Amino acid sequence: GQPWRGEVCNRAKGGRICWVGSLVAPVVDDTGAITRYVSIRTDITSRRLAEQALNDQHERLEGIIEGTRAGTWEWDLRSGAGVVNKRWAELMGHTLEELQPVTVDTLKQVTHPEDYPVVEATLRQHFAGKSNYYEAVMRCRHKDGHWVWVQDRGRVTSRTPTGGVQT
């Protein structure tokens, strides 16, 4: 006696797969007895195929990152918040939990004091649109105290209509 909502996969004529979103609701009479059901169905095949393509792409990218053992970082310039992956933390001798919360100051804290001005200048040039990518080689302090050489690459993913960095 309760409405049911769900998604089902049907095979259409010719063997084509068709995803359908369904809502089935009972209709009751004055005594509360179910007299019939109303069903609304919507073709959601394009959405499901898009979701599958996005999931496939996500899995491929995860495989690339894992296979190359790349340490990755992201930086939200508006908030100053950052995100690093597990491998980036491992390169510095940390767990992800030990580094939380990640901010731009996290990068500054682990970067060798002699290297940071060069890193900062290179970032500013990229932010100003003078280079398509940011790239720097620097030393980062491992949790154990020794220095790890890191080749750091990245790019701004969102710019204003005039080419500036969105903050």
Side-chain angles (χ1 to χ4, degrees), residues 78-93:
R78 288 174 287 227
S79 68
V83 176
V84 297
N85 72 350
K86 181 180 176 186
R87 179 66 181 138
W88 192 94
E90 288 171 353
L91 288 169
M92 304 303 137

PDB file of all heavy atoms in Angstrom, residues 78-93:
ATOM      1  N   ARG A  78      40.202  30.894  -2.944  1.00  0.00           N
ATOM      2  CA  ARG A  78      39.223  31.710  -2.199  1.00  0.00           C
ATOM      3  C   ARG A  78      39.298  31.445  -0.708  1.00  0.00           C
ATOM      4  O   ARG A  78      39.304  32.358   0.096  1.00  0.00           O
ATOM      5  CB  ARG A  78      37.805  31.444  -2.705  1.00  0.00           C
ATOM      6  CG  ARG A  78      37.541  32.029  -4.072  1.00  0.00           C
ATOM      7  CD  ARG A  78      36.180  31.595  -4.535  1.00  0.00           C
ATOM      8  NE  ARG A  78      36.302  30.177  -4.889  1.00  0.00           N
ATOM      9  CZ  ARG A  78      35.825  29.659  -5.999  1.00  0.00           C
ATOM     10  NH1 ARG A  78      35.139  30.378  -6.828  1.00  0.00           N
ATOM     11  NH2 ARG A  78      35.999  28.396  -6.273  1.00  0.00           N
ATOM     12  N   SER A  79      39.357  30.181  -0.334  1.00  0.00           N
ATOM     13  CA  SER A  79      39.307  29.830   1.088  1.00  0.00           C
ATOM     14  C   SER A  79      40.688  29.536   1.682  1.00  0.00           C
ATOM     15  O   SER A  79      40.847  29.548   2.897  1.00  0.00           O
ATOM     16  CB  SER A  79      38.415  28.594   1.282  1.00  0.00           C
ATOM     17  OG  SER A  79      39.021  27.456   0.707  1.00  0.00           O
ATOM     18  N   GLY A  80      41.652  29.244   0.814  1.00  0.00           N
ATOM     19  CA  GLY A  80      42.968  28.845   1.295  1.00  0.00           C
ATOM     20  C   GLY A  80      43.047  27.369   1.635  1.00  0.00           C
ATOM     21  O   GLY A  80      44.111  26.859   1.988  1.00  0.00           O
ATOM     22  N   ALA A  81      41.925  26.664   1.525  1.00  0.00           N
ATOM     23  CA  ALA A  81      41.881  25.241   1.858  1.00  0.00           C
ATOM     24  C   ALA A  81      42.582  24.430   0.781  1.00  0.00           C
ATOM     25  O   ALA A  81      42.591  24.802  -0.395  1.00  0.00           O
ATOM     26  CB  ALA A  81      40.437  24.772   2.006  1.00  0.00           C
ATOM     27  N   GLY A  82      43.146  23.325   1.202  1.00  0.00           N
ATOM     28  CA  GLY A  82      43.810  22.439   0.264  1.00  0.00           C
ATOM     29  C   GLY A  82      43.371  21.007   0.455  1.00  0.00           C
ATOM     30  O   GLY A  82      42.778  20.652   1.477  1.00  0.00           O
ATOM     31  N   VAL A  83      43.681  20.209  -0.544  1.00  0.00           N
ATOM     32  CA  VAL A  83      43.417  18.777  -0.498  1.00  0.00           C
ATOM     33  C   VAL A  83      44.660  18.095  -1.050  1.00  0.00           C
ATOM     34  O   VAL A  83      45.177  18.497  -2.091  1.00  0.00           O
ATOM     35  CB  VAL A  83      42.194  18.396  -1.361  1.00  0.00           C
ATOM     36  CG1 VAL A  83      42.000  16.884  -1.385  1.00  0.00           C
ATOM     37  CG2 VAL A  83      40.941  19.093  -0.885  1.00  0.00           C
ATOM     38  N   VAL A  84      45.150  17.096  -0.345  1.00  0.00           N
ATOM     39  CA  VAL A  84      46.254  16.280  -0.847  1.00  0.00           C
ATOM     40  C   VAL A  84      45.800  14.827  -0.842  1.00  0.00           C
ATOM     41  O   VAL A  84      44.922  14.450  -0.072  1.00  0.00           O
ATOM     42  CB  VAL A  84      47.542  16.447  -0.001  1.00  0.00           C
ATOM     43  CG1 VAL A  84      48.050  17.877  -0.066  1.00  0.00           C
ATOM     44  CG2 VAL A  84      47.346  16.010   1.438  1.00  0.00           C
ATOM     45  N   ASN A  85      46.408  14.041  -1.731  1.00  0.00           N
ATOM     46  CA  ASN A  85      46.058  12.629  -1.719  1.00  0.00           C
ATOM     47  C   ASN A  85      46.996  11.866  -0.775  1.00  0.00           C
ATOM     48  O   ASN A  85      47.962  12.421  -0.241  1.00  0.00           O
ATOM     49  CB  ASN A  85      46.037  12.039  -3.136  1.00  0.00           C
ATOM     50  CG  ASN A  85      47.406  11.871  -3.764  1.00  0.00           C
ATOM     51  OD1 ASN A  85      48.419  12.356  -3.248  1.00  0.00           O
ATOM     52  ND2 ASN A  85      47.450  11.199  -4.907  1.00  0.00           N
ATOM     53  N   LYS A  86      46.678  10.612  -0.578  1.00  0.00           N
ATOM     54  CA  LYS A  86      47.436   9.772   0.352  1.00  0.00           C
ATOM     55  C   LYS A  86      48.907   9.695  -0.051  1.00  0.00           C
ATOM     56  O   LYS A  86      49.798   9.741   0.792  1.00  0.00           O
ATOM     57  CB  LYS A  86      46.811   8.371   0.388  1.00  0.00           C
ATOM     58  CG  LYS A  86      47.495   7.419   1.322  1.00  0.00           C
ATOM     59  CD  LYS A  86      46.802   6.056   1.298  1.00  0.00           C
ATOM     60  CE  LYS A  86      47.551   5.069   2.171  1.00  0.00           C
ATOM     61  NZ  LYS A  86      46.996   3.730   2.063  1.00  0.00           N
ATOM     62  N   ARG A  87      49.179   9.595  -1.347  1.00  0.00           N
ATOM     63  CA  ARG A  87      50.561   9.484  -1.807  1.00  0.00           C
ATOM     64  C   ARG A  87      51.356  10.747  -1.487  1.00  0.00           C
ATOM     65  O   ARG A  87      52.519  10.667  -1.104  1.00  0.00           O
ATOM     66  CB  ARG A  87      50.585   9.179  -3.314  1.00  0.00           C
ATOM     67  CG  ARG A  87      51.975   9.075  -3.879  1.00  0.00           C
ATOM     68  CD  ARG A  87      52.725   7.872  -3.305  1.00  0.00           C
ATOM     69  NE  ARG A  87      54.062   7.829  -3.852  1.00  0.00           N
ATOM     70  CZ  ARG A  87      55.150   7.545  -3.157  1.00  0.00           C
ATOM     71  NH1 ARG A  87      55.068   7.232  -1.885  1.00  0.00           N
ATOM     72  NH2 ARG A  87      56.321   7.535  -3.726  1.00  0.00           N
ATOM     73  N   TRP A  88      50.753  11.933  -1.637  1.00  0.00           N
ATOM     74  CA  TRP A  88      51.448  13.180  -1.303  1.00  0.00           C
ATOM     75  C   TRP A  88      51.848  13.167   0.163  1.00  0.00           C
ATOM     76  O   TRP A  88      52.966  13.507   0.515  1.00  0.00           O
ATOM     77  CB  TRP A  88      50.573  14.389  -1.631  1.00  0.00           C
ATOM     78  CG  TRP A  88      51.302  15.695  -1.601  1.00  0.00           C
ATOM     79  CD1 TRP A  88      51.871  16.327  -2.666  1.00  0.00           C
ATOM     80  CD2 TRP A  88      51.540  16.535  -0.467  1.00  0.00           C
ATOM     81  NE1 TRP A  88      52.451  17.508  -2.254  1.00  0.00           N
ATOM     82  CE2 TRP A  88      52.263  17.660  -0.912  1.00  0.00           C
ATOM     83  CE3 TRP A  88      51.231  16.449   0.887  1.00  0.00           C
ATOM     84  CZ2 TRP A  88      52.669  18.677  -0.059  1.00  0.00           C
ATOM     85  CZ3 TRP A  88      51.638  17.471   1.734  1.00  0.00           C
ATOM     86  CH2 TRP A  88      52.356  18.566   1.267  1.00  0.00           C
ATOM     87  N   ALA A  89      50.914  12.753   1.017  1.00  0.00           N
ATOM     88  CA  ALA A  89      51.215  12.664   2.454  1.00  0.00           C
ATOM     89  C   ALA A  89      52.355  11.674   2.698  1.00  0.00           C
ATOM     90  O   ALA A  89      53.264  11.952   3.481  1.00  0.00           O
ATOM     91  CB  ALA A  89      49.962  12.255   3.230  1.00  0.00           C
ATOM     92  N   GLU A  90      52.324  10.531   2.025  1.00  0.00           N
ATOM     93  CA  GLU A  90      53.375   9.519   2.190  1.00  0.00           C
ATOM     94  C   GLU A  90      54.746  10.057   1.769  1.00  0.00           C
ATOM     95  O   GLU A  90      55.750   9.756   2.401  1.00  0.00           O
ATOM     96  CB  GLU A  90      53.053   8.279   1.357  1.00  0.00           C
ATOM     97  CG  GLU A  90      51.906   7.454   1.901  1.00  0.00           C
ATOM     98  CD  GLU A  90      51.471   6.355   0.941  1.00  0.00           C
ATOM     99  OE1 GLU A  90      51.969   6.302  -0.222  1.00  0.00           O
ATOM    100  OE2 GLU A  90      50.620   5.542   1.349  1.00  0.00           O
ATOM    101  N   LEU A  91      54.794  10.846   0.698  1.00  0.00           N
ATOM    102  CA  LEU A  91      56.067  11.421   0.254  1.00  0.00           C
ATOM    103  C   LEU A  91      56.698  12.283   1.342  1.00  0.00           C
ATOM    104  O   LEU A  91      57.918  12.379   1.436  1.00  0.00           O
ATOM    105  CB  LEU A  91      55.865  12.264  -1.012  1.00  0.00           C
ATOM    106  CG  LEU A  91      55.574  11.492  -2.294  1.00  0.00           C
ATOM    107  CD1 LEU A  91      55.121  12.440  -3.398  1.00  0.00           C
ATOM    108  CD2 LEU A  91      56.788  10.694  -2.728  1.00  0.00           C
ATOM    109  N   MET A  92      55.847  12.891   2.166  1.00  0.00           N
ATOM    110  CA  MET A  92      56.326  13.729   3.263  1.00  0.00           C
ATOM    111  C   MET A  92      56.468  12.936   4.565  1.00  0.00           C
ATOM    112  O   MET A  92      56.813  13.491   5.608  1.00  0.00           O
ATOM    113  CB  MET A  92      55.382  14.903   3.509  1.00  0.00           C
ATOM    114  CG  MET A  92      55.113  15.782   2.308  1.00  0.00           C
ATOM    115  SD  MET A  92      56.619  16.457   1.603  1.00  0.00           S
ATOM    116  CE  MET A  92      56.268  16.217  -0.116  1.00  0.00           C
ATOM    117  N   GLY A  93      56.155  11.617   4.515  1.00  0.00           N
ATOM    118  CA  GLY A  93      56.288  10.768   5.688  1.00  0.00           C
ATOM    119  C   GLY A  93      55.110  10.842   6.640  1.00  0.00           C
ATOM    120  O   GLY A  93      55.199  10.424   7.790  1.00  0.00           O
TER     121      GLY A  93
END
